[in-house]
Amino acid sequence: MVPREQTSDGMDKKNSVWILDNAIDNPMDQEAEKLRNTQREKKISTLLLLRLAFQSLGVVFGDLGTSPLYVFYNTFPNGVKDPEDVIGALSVIIYSLTLIPLIKYIFIVSRANDSGQGGTFALYSLLCRHANINTIPNQDRTDKELTTYSRSIFDEHSFAAKTKRWLEGQRHRKSILLILVIVGSCMVIGDGILTPAISVLSATGGIKLDQPKMSDEVVVLVSVIILVGLFSIQHHGTDKIAWLFAPVVFLWFLLIGGIGIINICKYDTHVLKAFSPIYIYRYFKRGGIDGWTSLGGIMLSITGTEAVFADLSHFPVPAIQIAFTVVVFPSLLLAYSGQAAYLIKNSDHVVDLFYSSIPESIYWPVFLVATAAAVVASQATISATFSLIKQALALGCFPRVKVVHTSKKYLQQIYIPDINWILMILCVAVTAGFKNQTQIGNASGTAVAIVMLVTTFLMILIMILVWRCHWTLVVIFTVLSLIVEGTYFTAVLFKVNQGGWVPLAIAATFFVIMYVWHYGTVKRYEFEMHSKVSMAYILGLGPSLGLVRVPGIGLVYTELAKGVPPIFSHFITNLPAIHSVVIFVCVKYLPVYTVPEEERFLVRRIGPKNFHMFRCVARYGYKDLQKKDDDFEEKLFENLHMFVRLEYLMEECSESEISLYGQQTQQSNCEEWPPNDDNNSLTLSSIVDLTISSVGSIVPAESPVHLSARGSVASNRGNHGQNESNEIEFLNSCRAAGIVHILGNTVVQARRGSNLFKKIAINYVYALLRKMCRENSVIFNVPHESLLNVGQVFYV
């Protein structure tokens, strides 16, 4: 029997030849298979996108979708004098929905997301990466090497480069930009208080139509009960009930769209002439100042637009665009047109227009769906407020508060207990205090107008610095946005004394909290930067640091990313002993959405090796979960061990000639005394700056590295390996001896001679906020038995 030949992988050669011949003979089959696979992938991706678009209805568009409950009532609070006014108001609503939500936000602003994140702070983070406008000077050049730190490179003579230099030129310009961002964020928080109030109050107001004898107090009481229940279940998270949101809101849009079609056909089809913009001109010409002030009510038709951008992180932009253009936009146009048609024939029903226009046979089902949709809309704004506070907290613009992640699956679903109860109290107070939709609507319109103006100004910088658009496009966008939004803003100013002062008061309170906290944080950081311990002083103490080095590891927590903090000098001056290994731990937030886990830790050595002092910077994005636990410590020491190994490897390579892919490179020893660092902050024995994530760039894992011996390289390699092993053993033995967490319990006061504003801000407001916020020991989850607080006074 003749043995059959086999290929190296065991395949029968004859069969392999047949397979090859068959493939050559039938190339069309391969092409057809590729085409089928491509079509299958497109089908799956399309179905996934449609499913996400459906789900986005419940999370993103609840606030915008419930506006038909109260728009016309707030537009004509004194009744309809002329049916043509209804046509004019409808025309303004149609083109407001087209220009602001559809064109500006859905198709322009949504593209300015920061890795899928929306909101004013996300835009600010995006700008911070493209220009040095961050007011806290804790940046490091290695931060820009992160994979998520995407930014553009400008031509030196371009308009973008000139704008960048102009922004960076003066400190007050950076401060003005930050103030603008904080103002916009505070208005979003105000909207998060007002939207649940007006949505739930408007929905429950439908009871009175069926029960006319029911008093307003009963409606307010029902609304308050619903609001208290809504805020009380926030700690459970929305993950368990979110699957209900999309069907409820989708049904809501179908109902209001269908009712709109019925009313148009039943009452007045001529209402569709409002799609002609000529009726806008006639409306303002006929109405005069009254028509102008009515814009404060019309603006409620676009409330929730900013919440759409703030909730952008939940879904991809194409899914949101599909949901809005296919479902939301047509349904809203039909709903408002139907209400206008009904109002023309029944001008005395403007107070309860929404429920009056519902066919009697489906009144109660629509009432139930409207109440459920109002609750979903309230949930969307509450979640957006939590998300915004988390971003502000990460960027140093809000006091330390407890943040609870309610879902292991969805990281963006968070709950902030302190903020939740504050929102509930304010929301109940607004509902019980005003008792009617008109004044709450005036307040909501003021908040939305200011937020939109802030977004426009930030978008101008985004278009210049990030997108690098031609200046003509920037001018067109600016002019059109300011004309529309400026018109609305001037109109809501007339409503300030009619309830519009509420968001201004709420925003002013949150602005003081956020700005003073940021101001105090910056002053404290600047003090620590100017008072940090010099390396000459550390070296003069010697390896023992002038103290007894006891077994164990001391983790010194500091906000400084560079240099030795002044609290360390205070510590070694007043105590007789210090641990054998000292690690300065800095938790730093960067203006990025997230920092990959493998790039989180940045480890450096401070001083010579026998000092056994290190710095570990843990970097987070504003959406990352900072969790100080055993896992954090484990990763810290893993990265510390890796750093030591790489350090000895680089020393070994500095005495050898490395052949990497045929290229000869020579490593120089970086050891210098005294350190040649402008900040006089740190020294590495053989690596100036080494990020653990860049291991692959030092020695590629799959690259053949050939070392050619020079002199006694082999013996040196053995010595380096022995030293590396000894140091890692030393670190492990110190860790086994115990870890002590050293935290600074500092008191910040304004120095003598400071102006009155600074004294009030630092000595009273900032001091009060520091007492009320969470302590560092709680944030870092430090056990009391291993906690050491070091007190010190900072005069800033």
Side-chain angles (χ1 to χ4, degrees):
M1 184 175 181
V2 180
R4 293 172 17 175
E5 296 183 66
Q6 291 187 338
T7 58
S8 58
D9 60 355
M11 180 184 290
D12 184 50
K13 185 174 180 180
K14 180 178 179 181
N15 289 339
S16 66
V17 172
W18 178 86
I19 292 172
L20 180 63
D21 291 342
N22 192 53
I24 295 174
D25 292 340
N26 298 281
M28 293 299 295
D29 290 346
Q30 290 184 341
E31 293 297 326
E33 183 64 26
K34 289 181 180 178
L35 182 61
R36 283 194 294 269
N37 290 336
T38 304
Q39 290 174 342
R40 192 179 300 114
E41 290 176 0
K42 286 183 178 179
K43 183 178 180 180
I44 293 173
S45 61
T46 303
L47 291 175
L48 178 62
L49 193 62
L50 291 176
R51 190 183 73 178
L52 292 173
F54 174 75
Q55 292 175 350
S56 70
L57 291 172
V59 178
V60 178
F61 296 108
D63 187 7
L64 186 64
T66 53
S67 296
L69 285 167
Y70 43 77
V71 168
F72 275 110
Y73 170 58
N74 284 273
T75 304
F76 302 108
N78 300 319
V80 178
K81 300 176 182 178
D82 187 343
E84 286 297 311
D85 289 344
V86 178
I87 301 294
L90 176 61
S91 187
V92 177
I93 292 172
I94 290 171
Y95 283 95
S96 296
L97 284 170
T98 303
L99 292 175
I100 302 296
L102 180 64
I103 296 177
K104 180 186 174 183
Y105 276 88
I106 298 299
F107 288 105
I108 297 178
V109 176
S110 62
R111 292 183 57 244
N113 62 84
D114 182 17
S115 300
Q117 301 301 305
T120 50
F121 272 107
L123 293 179
Y124 180 68
S125 299
L126 196 58
L127 290 172
C128 285
R129 297 205 299 273
H130 290 79
N132 185 21
I133 57 175
N134 199 334
T135 52
I136 300 180
N138 63 348
Q139 299 85 11
D140 189 89
R141 66 178 182 84
T142 55
D143 297 337
K144 299 178 181 179
E145 298 171 2
L146 291 171
T147 54
T148 54
Y149 203 99
S150 58
R151 58 196 179 99
S152 303
I153 300 175
F154 309 117
D155 181 10
E156 188 177 350
H157 303 288
S158 64
F159 182 63
K162 293 177 182 177
T163 305
K164 178 176 178 291
R165 287 194 295 269
W166 180 81
L167 275 176
E168 298 173 348
Q170 297 290 335
R171 184 170 180 174
H172 72 271
R173 293 169 188 163
K174 302 178 184 180
S175 299
I176 291 173
L177 183 60
L178 178 64
I179 289 172
L180 192 67
V181 171
I182 293 177
V183 167
S185 302
C186 292
M187 288 299 171
V188 173
I189 295 173
D191 191 40
I193 295 168
L194 297 170
T195 294
I198 191 172
S199 298
V200 174
L201 189 61
S202 300
T204 55
I207 302 175
K208 287 190 65 178
L209 191 64
D210 189 69
Q211 304 290 331
K213 296 181 180 180
M214 184 178 292
S215 64
D216 292 337
E217 285 72 17
V218 175
V219 175
V220 171
L221 180 61
V222 172
S223 301
V224 168
I225 292 173
I226 292 175
L227 289 172
V228 171
L230 174 64
F231 284 100
S232 299
I233 63 171
Q234 290 299 312
H235 66 280
H236 293 294
T238 59
D239 191 27
K240 299 179 180 63
I241 57 174
W243 61 273
L244 281 172
F245 288 178
V248 167
V249 178
F250 181 65
L251 180 60
W252 166 255
F253 281 121
L254 289 181
L255 284 173
I256 63 174
I259 293 171
I261 294 174
I262 293 172
N263 288 334
I264 292 171
C265 297
K266 182 178 180 180
Y267 294 103
D268 192 353
T269 56
H270 292 92
V271 77
L272 297 178
K273 63 185 180 181
F275 281 86
S276 172
I278 190 65
Y279 290 94
I280 297 177
Y281 169 75
R282 293 178 182 176
Y283 177 68
F284 290 122
K285 183 180 179 180
R286 183 174 53 255
I289 191 68
D290 292 334
W292 190 270
T293 56
S294 69
L295 287 175
I298 293 175
M299 188 169 189
L300 296 178
S301 64
I302 55 176
T303 56
T305 304
E306 190 64 32
V308 171
F309 183 51
D311 288 325
L312 203 63
S313 61
H314 298 271
F315 302 96
V317 173
I320 291 176
Q321 291 174 339
I322 291 172
F324 186 83
T325 54
V326 175
V327 178
V328 180
F329 188 62
S331 299
L332 289 176
L333 294 183
L334 290 171
Y336 288 120
S337 299
Q339 288 184 15
Y342 179 86
L343 190 58
I344 289 174
K345 300 297 183 181
N346 304 273
S347 58
D348 56 331
H349 289 176
V350 66
V351 176
D352 49 10
L353 173 61
F354 177 78
Y355 285 108
S356 298
S357 63
I358 299 173
E360 188 175 350
S361 58
I362 59 171
Y363 176 83
W364 284 109
V366 173
F367 172 78
L368 294 175
V369 174
T371 305
V375 171
V376 172
S378 304
Q379 179 62 57
T381 56
I382 294 169
S383 299
T385 303
F386 289 160
S387 178
L388 186 145
I389 294 293
K390 174 69 165 60
Q391 294 179 13
L393 180 67
L395 296 174
C397 294
F398 204 84
R400 299 182 298 268
V401 291
K402 183 179 182 180
V403 179
V404 179
H405 287 256
T406 58
S407 173
K408 295 181 179 179
K409 186 177 179 181
Y410 303 103
L411 193 61
Q412 66 271 13
Q413 292 186 5
I414 59 175
Y415 166 67
I416 305 178
D418 299 333
I419 300 300
N420 180 70
W421 301 123
I422 291 173
L423 290 179
M424 187 194 76
I425 293 171
L426 292 175
C427 190
V428 169
V430 168
T431 305
F434 286 132
K435 299 181 182 179
N436 67 77
Q437 306 170 24
T438 305
Q439 289 183 314
I440 302 176
N442 294 337
S444 182
T446 304
V448 172
I450 296 175
V451 172
M452 288 183 176
L453 284 173
V454 169
T455 302
T456 296
F457 288 124
L458 293 177
M459 278 301 302
I460 294 170
L461 294 176
I462 292 289
M463 294 178 75
I464 295 172
L465 297 177
V466 182
W467 293 350
R468 287 177 286 180
C469 298
H470 195 272
W471 65 269
T472 54
L473 294 176
V474 178
V475 170
I476 292 172
F477 173 82
T478 305
V479 170
L480 291 177
S481 297
L482 291 182
I483 287 175
V484 177
E485 294 164 7
T487 303
Y488 274 119
F489 179 70
T490 56
V492 298
L493 290 178
F494 289 97
K495 305 285 187 178
V496 171
N497 63 341
Q498 302 172 27
W501 59 270
V502 174
L504 299 180
I506 294 172
T509 304
F510 276 95
F511 177 82
V512 169
I513 293 172
M514 296 172 76
Y515 186 77
V516 170
W517 181 264
H518 182 79
Y519 177 77
T521 302
V522 171
K523 290 300 179 183
R524 179 184 175 187
Y525 191 89
E526 289 176 348
F527 177 86
E528 291 196 78
M529 283 288 291
H530 293 123
S531 306
K532 60 188 176 184
V533 183
S534 68
M535 278 305 303
Y537 175 75
I538 296 293
L539 295 174
L541 297 174
S544 66
L545 299 177
L547 305 170
V548 177
R549 302 293 291 263
V550 296
I553 294 178
L555 297 181
V556 182
Y557 293 87
T558 174
E559 295 181 5
L560 285 183
K562 294 180 179 179
V564 178
I567 197 172
F568 183 70
S569 173
H570 188 67
F571 177 81
I572 62 178
T573 303
N574 292 278
L575 292 177
I578 196 169
H579 301 88
S580 300
V581 176
V582 177
I583 303 175
F584 296 96
V585 180
C586 171
V587 176
K588 182 172 72 170
Y589 283 91
L590 301 177
V592 294
Y593 161 61
T594 183
V595 176
E597 194 71 35
E598 63 274 11
E599 301 179 51
R600 175 145 298 154
F601 291 94
L602 179 67
V603 182
R604 293 167 173 157
R605 187 187 291 275
I606 299 177
K609 292 182 180 178
N610 55 354
F611 278 54
H612 301 297
M613 295 172 63
F614 302 89
R615 177 189 331 287
C616 177
V617 181
R619 302 175 294 185
Y620 292 87
Y622 55 81
K623 275 294 183 181
D624 284 333
L625 170 61
Q626 178 203 336
K627 192 176 181 183
K628 174 65 179 64
D629 51 13
D630 295 337
D631 187 51
F632 178 90
E633 287 186 7
E634 190 64 36
K635 290 177 180 177
L636 188 152
F637 286 108
E638 282 180 11
N639 283 274
L640 181 61
H641 289 170
M642 187 181 295
F643 171 83
V644 171
R645 294 190 184 99
L646 288 171
E647 188 180 36
Y648 280 103
L649 174 64
M650 294 300 291
E651 282 189 352
E652 178 184 323
C653 295
S654 68
E655 301 169 5
S656 308
E657 186 178 345
I658 304 177
S659 174
L660 182 59
Y661 289 110
Q663 296 182 352
Q664 300 290 327
T665 61
Q666 183 71 33
Q667 281 293 123
S668 62
N669 199 318
C670 300
E671 189 168 318
E672 290 184 24
W673 297 109
N676 190 21
D677 188 358
D678 295 336
N679 294 322
N680 212 19
S681 60
L682 59 91
T683 297
L684 295 182
S685 180
S686 47
I687 308 168
V688 177
D689 288 321
L690 178 60
T691 308
I692 297 302
S693 63
S694 59
V695 175
S697 64
I698 299 172
V699 181
E702 300 178 1
S703 304
V705 179
H706 306 286
L707 301 178
S708 58
R710 282 187 177 181
S712 58
V713 172
S715 60
N716 287 337
R717 185 185 307 168
N719 292 335
H720 286 310
Q722 184 64 36
N723 292 336
E724 171 196 334
S725 177
N726 291 340
E727 182 159 13
I728 291 178
E729 267 185 44
F730 178 74
L731 291 174
N732 289 332
S733 64
C734 289
R735 185 183 180 187
I739 299 174
V740 175
H741 303 264
I742 304 171
L743 293 172
N745 189 12
T746 57
V747 176
V748 182
Q749 293 185 354
R751 66 181 63 179
R752 292 181 180 179
S754 300
N755 58 53
L756 182 62
F757 166 78
K758 188 174 182 180
K759 287 181 179 178
I760 294 175
I762 298 297
N763 294 348
Y764 298 98
V765 182
Y766 184 67
L768 178 64
L769 293 175
R770 279 174 59 84
K771 288 180 181 178
M772 294 174 62
C773 72
R774 304 182 82 205
E775 296 181 355
N776 282 324
S777 58
V778 178
I779 293 175
F780 293 117
N781 195 24
V782 176
H784 290 287
E785 60 272 12
S786 61
L787 172 64
L788 179 61
N789 273 316
V790 180
Q792 195 172 11
V793 180
F794 289 172
Y795 292 97
V796 298

